[in-house]
Amino acid sequence: MDGVVQLQKQLVDYIASLFHEGFLDEQFNQLQQLQDESNPDFVVEVVSLFFEDSERLLNELAKALWVPFRSSSSFFNPNILFREQETIDFRKVDAHVHQFKGSSSSIGAHRVQNVCITFRNYCEEQNVEGVEPWHRCLKCLQQVKHEYSLVRNKLETLFQLEKQIIAAGGSLPAT
């Protein structure tokens, strides 16, 4: 049982670090409180749905902001992308980012939610002196992808620790 106690302490410390580093907020605690014996996988299921929805939204955002470069010359590299600004529907981009922000908020993914707020602000600025708004949106998309990837890895690690505790015959500590 010494190993279980050590895993439980590791889990508590890990969750505390996720809050301290701003990956999670109080909404995650509230989500955990909805989990009970009748639905022991509630949090994993909700977060898995968040992952699926996030992947879809990131793909939709990428489609909305990027258009493959089409050249009449013989040289064509499909890995090089060119943005035709007039094709961007900023309302559509904003709607996707708004949905992503809401999903992030509902599971307590605080840092993802924050970069979504920044993303929405940049997409609303359609006449920024010196910097085209789509360029800023592309940078924001990269930030959202980065923060999403980080929180996904962190939550997958958390769920793996929980599985190890259960497999070792322990119970999950109250957080």
Side-chain angles (χ1 to χ4, degrees):
M1 272 302 175
D2 210 19
V4 171
V5 171
Q6 188 175 4
L7 283 172
Q8 289 170 327
K9 180 178 177 358
Q10 186 180 354
L11 178 64
V12 168
D13 291 346
Y14 187 70
I15 292 172
S17 76
L18 295 179
F19 281 90
H20 179 73
E21 294 171 22
F23 286 105
L24 299 177
D25 63 22
E26 183 57 33
Q27 183 62 34
F28 188 78
N29 281 339
Q30 291 177 12
L31 189 65
Q32 286 182 313
Q33 290 173 3
L34 295 174
Q35 183 166 291
D36 58 21
E37 291 176 13
S38 67
N39 195 357
D41 296 325
F42 179 75
V43 174
V44 172
E45 290 170 3
V46 170
V47 171
S48 294
L49 290 172
F50 166 72
F51 291 160
E52 289 173 21
D53 194 44
S54 296
E55 296 293 333
R56 180 189 59 78
L57 287 168
L58 288 170
N59 285 331
E60 291 297 321
L61 283 165
K63 282 186 223 172
L65 293 172
W66 291 90
V67 173
F69 176 71
R70 303 273 183 228
S71 173
S72 59
S73 71
S74 60
F75 174 76
F76 174 72
N77 182 345
N79 295 321
I80 296 175
L81 297 173
F82 177 75
R83 175 76 246 147
E84 296 177 25
Q85 185 176 355
E86 64 274 4
T87 64
I88 296 175
D89 182 347
F90 284 99
R91 284 175 287 176
K92 187 176 185 179
V93 171
D94 185 59
H96 291 314
V97 176
H98 180 72
Q99 188 177 358
F100 203 174
K101 180 180 77 85
S103 296
S104 302
S105 175
S106 71
I107 68 148
H110 185 69
R111 285 173 41 168
V112 175
Q113 180 185 2
N114 283 345
V115 293
C116 285
I117 291 168
T118 300
F119 195 164
R120 288 192 75 200
N121 291 339
Y122 282 141
C123 287
E124 288 172 2
E125 296 174 10
Q126 296 191 22
N127 292 314
V128 177
E129 195 173 310
V131 179
E132 297 178 49
W134 65 264
H135 188 262
R136 286 184 153 187
C137 285
L138 293 177
K139 285 186 176 190
C140 286
L141 177 58
Q142 291 304 315
Q143 289 176 315
V144 168
K145 285 181 177 180
H146 177 72
E147 288 299 332
Y148 165 72
S149 178
L150 289 174
V151 80
R152 181 177 180 136
N153 290 336
K154 301 280 185 182
L155 289 170
E156 286 173 345
T157 299
L158 180 136
F159 297 146
Q160 196 59 37
L161 269 171
E162 289 178 345
K163 283 182 183 178
Q164 289 176 355
I165 291 168
I166 300 299
S171 60
L172 299 179
T175 53

